[in-house]
Amino acid sequence: MQTIRGFRDILPETIGLWQKVEKEAAHLFEAFGFKEIRIPVLEKTELFARSIGEATDIVEKEMYTFSDRNEDKLTLRPEATASIVRSYVQHKMYASDPVRKFFMIGPMFRRERPQKGRYRQFYQIDAEVFGIESAYIDSQMIFILNELFKRLGLAELSAHINSLGCPECRPKFQASLLQFLESKKERLCENCLRRMDKNPLRILDCKVLECKEALTDAPATLDHLCPACMNHFETVKRTLSEQGVDFIVDRSLVRGLDYYTRTAWEIQTTTLGAQSAVAGGGRYDGLVAELGGPPTPGIGFAIGFDRLVEVMEQITPPLEKSLDLFIVSLGDTAVEKAYLWSCDLNRNGVSTELDFRGKSMKALMKRADKLKAKYVLIAGENELAQNRVLLRNMTTTEQVSLTIEHLVPELIGIIKK
Ligand code: ATP
Ligand code: MG
């Protein structure tokens, strides 16, 4: 049996980096006042269709959707924001305190063409803030991303930012965009033509080369911002500069989801080839109301965890796992004693291994080497007959003889020193 296409195992050999990122992220989020939230992987299809948008790539072709036995239409979550907004509204969190900050880490599902950095089950690290309209929060979200990547040793990343405006400035922009698109009609792909009535903004995110070329001079949201949006974006740029966060204003960045308003951004890397975005985010001031809550501003980002790990693999040497102690036990009595000591040591935080297969001294020493044991305890029949064992420090090769009477506490003292 094999995993299905686009799905993969993350094996113990590579889990070290995943755990390192999880720890750093949780630590950082907590310092900035974020609380962890866990949400289901399965939701009603309608949730994603309504929030991400009917005429988006995700909803049109990437979702894993199926009918439950009672005919309910269900979807494996392709992203986290919609579910977290659903949770915020469902539990009326706004009633006691509209200002909430959440983070979550978990798998997402999109039926895309699998390739390096693109899987059908992939992982995201996600953060969302509700109830704050201030541009300082937009800056802070990008600042947090920047800080996390810095702590993980990633420097070659750049933040591409744009402002998508608000319902106030959208109509004027859309009119000017439609006029432009009309003039390029014969160069656009079928998908774009179909979206012209439904969702013209999506055309700006088309990945087809021909369309991209036709759209180089397309009008930008930045040229149509209302004074309030302009002000908001200026504050974001000014504070990012003050904080020393590098960014590039990217007038053509629109992102693939419909709910974004005002600030939107992507963090790109040059080290991943075509799959260059390691994180993306934006403001979504209309989404909480759209999903049945009171008008509440929102903003969030998602980091592509798989891609992040792939970038880290290129710069971090593999994490070396080592063992505190290996017990070379020769003969049945020795094995049983070694087994009992090992459990006692393990529960006291001393990582200890032994071998139950009755191997020779030479084979066991080899195994100790392979496991990179810092100490080896030699419990041979002769030593044990005198109630003694030998402890060898593998770095210094120094050897001491110990009595077995208070062996475990003594070993803990030496090894944990
Ligand atoms: P892309 O343009 O690469 O398809 P996206 O805009 O669809 O990305 P988002 O919805 O913004 O991606 O998701 C946030 C992040 O999740 C992306 O920046 C990327 O790092 C990661 N991501 C998205 N889709 C996948 C996937 N299929 N496999 C692995 N990571 C992914
Ligand atoms: Mg995508």
Side-chain angles (χ1 to χ4, degrees):
M1 297 288 249
Q2 301 272 310
T3 49
I4 53 178
R5 196 165 134 77
F7 287 66
R8 60 184 186 142
D9 301 314
I10 293 163
L11 299 172
E13 290 81 74
T14 54
I15 211 74
L17 283 178
W18 291 80
Q19 290 172 333
K20 181 182 152 113
V21 173
E22 278 166 10
K23 253 192 226 145
E24 282 289 356
H27 192 65
L28 187 63
F29 285 140
E30 271 153 22
F32 277 84
F34 289 74
K35 300 265 192 299
E36 186 175 355
I37 185 168
R38 298 190 187 189
I39 46 168
V41 287
L42 204 56
E43 299 264 8
K44 286 186 185 149
T45 303
E46 184 197 351
L47 171 65
F48 303 113
R50 256 176 56 194
S51 54
I52 299 169
E54 293 277 3
T56 58
D57 282 353
I58 296 180
V59 172
E60 275 184 349
K61 39 186 205 206
E62 296 173 1
M63 293 201 313
Y64 278 98
T65 295
F66 61 94
S67 294
D68 200 357
R69 285 164 197 258
N70 62 0
E71 300 305 309
D72 282 349
K73 280 205 119 187
L74 304 178
T75 296
L76 280 171
R77 66 181 184 203
E79 58 114 40
T81 307
S83 307
I84 297 177
V85 173
R86 194 246 332 114
S87 179
Y88 180 81
V89 175
Q90 179 176 336
H91 303 289
K92 297 194 173 57
M93 295 189 205
Y94 47 81
S96 53
D97 183 1
V99 177
R100 301 284 181 134
K101 302 179 181 183
F102 302 109
F103 76 94
M104 66 134 294
I105 302 175
M108 305 295 156
F109 305 85
R110 295 185 195 174
R111 201 175 191 291
E112 309 191 67
R113 198 167 71 78
Q115 52 197 289
K116 187 147 182 69
R118 198 175 285 288
Y119 308 98
R120 289 180 170 182
Q121 174 173 336
F122 62 101
Y123 293 78
Q124 285 187 340
I125 301 170
D126 190 271
E128 313 287 342
V129 175
F130 295 96
I132 308 179
E133 195 184 358
S134 164
Y136 297 128
I137 289 301
D138 304 46
S139 284
Q140 192 178 65
M141 294 301 260
I142 300 171
F143 179 80
I144 291 172
L145 276 170
N146 195 63
E147 179 67 21
L148 177 63
F149 291 145
K150 244 180 17 199
R151 289 186 187 187
L152 296 173
L154 307 176
E156 308 300 311
L157 299 173
S158 62
H160 290 234
I161 67 171
N162 194 13
S163 177
L164 303 179
C166 66
E168 180 85 18
C169 25
R170 273 286 163 85
K172 262 201 281 167
F173 164 69
Q174 289 223 358
S176 129
L177 176 62
L178 271 176
Q179 199 178 19
F180 173 85
L181 293 173
E182 281 295 336
S183 73
K184 301 282 173 187
K185 241 177 163 168
E186 64 286 357
R187 295 176 59 190
L188 298 178
C189 72
E190 250 172 57
N191 209 8
C192 285
L193 289 177
R194 202 171 40 81
R195 285 175 173 176
M196 253 174 92
D197 312 316
K198 277 207 207 159
N199 194 346
L201 192 65
R202 280 280 69 79
I203 299 177
L204 297 178
D205 200 32
C206 183
K207 304 288 190 286
V208 177
L209 201 63
E210 280 266 305
C211 296
K212 275 190 172 173
E213 279 167 11
L215 295 168
T216 35
D217 302 321
T221 47
L222 273 193
D223 298 323
H224 295 82
L225 295 184
C226 65
C229 285
M230 191 107 81
N231 231 329
H232 198 270
F233 195 50
E234 285 307 316
T235 306
V236 175
K237 289 190 291 181
R238 188 177 63 248
T239 43
L240 284 177
S241 299
E242 290 274 350
Q243 291 174 298
V245 177
D246 286 333
F247 64 88
I248 298 164
V249 174
D250 183 346
R251 302 160 57 84
S252 65
L253 184 130
V254 291
R255 314 263 305 117
L257 306 92
D258 278 355
Y259 49 64
Y260 288 122
T261 53
R262 293 193 162 168
T263 324
W265 66 89
E266 248 170 42
I267 311 286
Q268 314 223 344
T269 162
T270 46
T271 49
L272 280 181
Q275 267 49 262
S276 63
V278 282
R283 184 166 271 290
Y284 47 84
D285 290 342
L287 189 55
V288 174
E290 171 65 32
L291 292 179
T296 308
I299 183 168
F301 64 71
I303 301 172
F305 203 161
D306 308 68
R307 289 186 199 172
L308 178 60
V309 168
E310 276 161 26
V311 181
M312 289 176 69
E313 275 167 351
Q314 297 177 11
I315 55 159
T316 8
L319 305 168
E320 292 274 338
K321 275 250 157 56
S322 69
L323 182 69
D324 290 328
L325 180 70
F326 186 83
I327 310 182
V328 169
S329 45
L330 302 163
D332 291 345
T333 332
V335 170
E336 184 158 324
K337 281 209 155 56
Y339 162 68
L340 297 171
W341 292 329
S342 76
C343 291
D344 222 2
L345 288 160
N346 288 151
R347 75 183 170 99
N348 280 290
V350 176
S351 60
T352 306
E353 290 284 346
L354 68 155
D355 197 290
F356 300 102
R357 294 170 297 180
K359 299 260 173 170
S360 69
M361 171 88 178
K362 196 171 151 209
L364 292 178
M365 287 308 289
K366 243 190 175 159
R367 185 151 170 77
D369 266 344
K370 194 171 165 200
L371 296 174
K372 301 201 172 64
K374 292 182 201 133
Y375 288 87
V376 171
L377 188 76
I378 302 165
E381 309 233 36
N382 289 346
E383 284 99 347
L384 275 185
Q386 295 160 38
N387 285 335
R388 299 195 81 84
V389 286
L390 275 177
L391 180 69
R392 183 185 295 179
N393 180 328
M394 298 301 277
T395 339
T396 62
T397 69
E398 263 176 295
Q399 223 160 260
V400 287
S401 169
L402 305 170
T403 68
I404 63 172
E405 208 179 337
H406 301 292
L407 183 63
V408 168
E410 217 171 320
L411 285 173
I412 296 169
I414 297 172
I415 295 171
K416 281 183 130 181
K417 178 171 69 187

